[in-house]
Amino acid sequence: MSATLLNHPLPNRLRPPCEPMRYRATITIDFTAADEFEAHDEKAAIEAAFAAIQRVHECAQLDFRRRRPRARPRPGAPGVVIVAYADD
């Protein structure tokens, strides 16, 4: 015995056509500042540029976080891995 679903909104586990897809765009800007005045100037420049984005995308968010310096340097990239190709 078998059953077939006709006009089912989730054929083959696909999203229904009426449900919108969601995306997130992330822009990361790392900057260094010697003192609070330089940091304030840099933040003001970023906020001014962000205002243009917010006029187009009202739900956009801007967040500043202070980062601690690394205790150790970042590990290097792995070496080149070369594997011989053997055709059977």
Side-chain angles (χ1 to χ4, degrees), residues 11-76:
N12 299 326
R13 296 184 180 190
L14 295 178
R15 190 182 286 261
C18 60
E19 186 177 337
M21 296 188 306
R22 296 182 54 167
Y23 292 92
R24 174 174 287 179
T26 304
I27 299 171
T28 303
I29 301 171
D30 291 330
F31 62 92
T32 58
D35 56 16
E36 286 296 322
F37 296 111
E38 189 177 337
H40 183 274
D41 293 343
E42 192 69 32
K43 286 179 182 180
I46 291 171
E47 287 171 343
F50 179 73
I53 293 172
Q54 202 165 30
R55 282 193 291 274
V56 176
H57 302 284
E58 295 174 359
C59 63
Q61 298 175 358
L62 178 62
D63 182 34
F64 287 101
R65 294 181 187 170
R66 187 170 182 172
R67 299 185 64 187
R68 295 186 319 227
R70 289 186 174 274
R72 293 180 286 200
R74 215 177 256 218

